[in-house]
Amino acid sequence: MADAGVFEAIEQLQRAEAGEDVPGVQDLNDMLKKESGPMDHMFGKAFDDGPKHFYGRKTEDATPGDGKWHWEQKGEEVQVRFKPEHSLTKKDIAVTFKAQYIHITIKGEDIVKSPLFRPVVVDECTWCIVSGELQVMLTKQNETEHWNDFLERY
C-alpha cells in the first residue's frame, strides 16, 4: 500500500490545481521549471541530449560491438541479444525482470529501463552470457500474441 505521505502530496496537488493556495506547491512548480532539478541525478532529464542507445530490430545482422540490441520471437519465447565491443562477464551484468518491465545494467550503467511490449512470466525469464554476448530470454504471458518490439515505445 502507498505511503500516507504520497496520498497527502497528491491531495495537495489536487487542491492547488483547483486554485487553492497550498504552501510548498509553488516551490515544486518552480523546481520543475528549472533546467536542472534536484532529482535529475536519479531520473535524468526528460529530454537529455546525452548519448542514445539504439535498440536494433530483429531484421538487422548482429555484428560484434555494434552497440545494438537484436531480438527475435518464436511462440512464447522472446530472445534479446546484445553484442558489446568488449566481452562481458556475469559480474558486469544485472537484470531485473517484472511482469511488464525490464531493467538491465551493464558495468554499472543503466542500459535499459523500460516497460516491455507485453507482459512476461517473470519466473521463466532469464539471462546468460554466451561468448561474451548478453542474451536475455523472456517468456510471454500470452504465447499466441505477436510482439512488434520487445520494449514498449511511446
Side-chain angles (χ1 to χ4, degrees), residues 1 10 25 47 76:
M1 182 159 193
I10 292 170
V25 173
F47 298 99
E76 67 180 6

Side-chain angles (χ1 to χ4, degrees), residues 112-128:
V112 175
K113 288 178 84 170
S114 176
L116 291 164
F117 186 76
R118 294 288 184 260
V120 296
V121 180
V122 175
D123 292 341
E124 295 181 18
C125 295
T126 188
W127 63 272
C128 64

Side-chain angles (χ1 to χ4, degrees), residues 29-38 40:
N29 285 333
D30 292 342
M31 179 184 72
L32 292 173
K33 291 177 186 173
K34 288 183 182 178
E35 188 172 316
S36 177
D40 282 351

Side-chain angles (χ1 to χ4, degrees), residues 6-64:
V6 172
F7 288 128
E8 182 181 340
I10 292 170
E11 289 174 7
Q12 288 178 345
L13 290 171
Q14 288 172 335
R15 289 197 321 264
E17 192 175 78
E20 188 177 325
D21 185 27
V22 180
V25 173
Q26 186 57 45
D27 295 335
L28 176 63
N29 285 333
D30 292 342
M31 179 184 72
L32 292 173
K33 291 177 186 173
K34 288 183 182 178
E35 188 172 316
S36 177
M39 290 189 269
D40 282 351
H41 69 285
M42 288 174 29
F43 303 108
K45 294 180 183 177
F47 298 99
D48 193 357
D49 291 330
K52 304 292 188 265
H53 297 286
F54 177 79
Y55 302 101
R57 296 287 182 178
K58 65 181 178 179
T59 57
E60 299 174 358
D61 291 331
T63 56

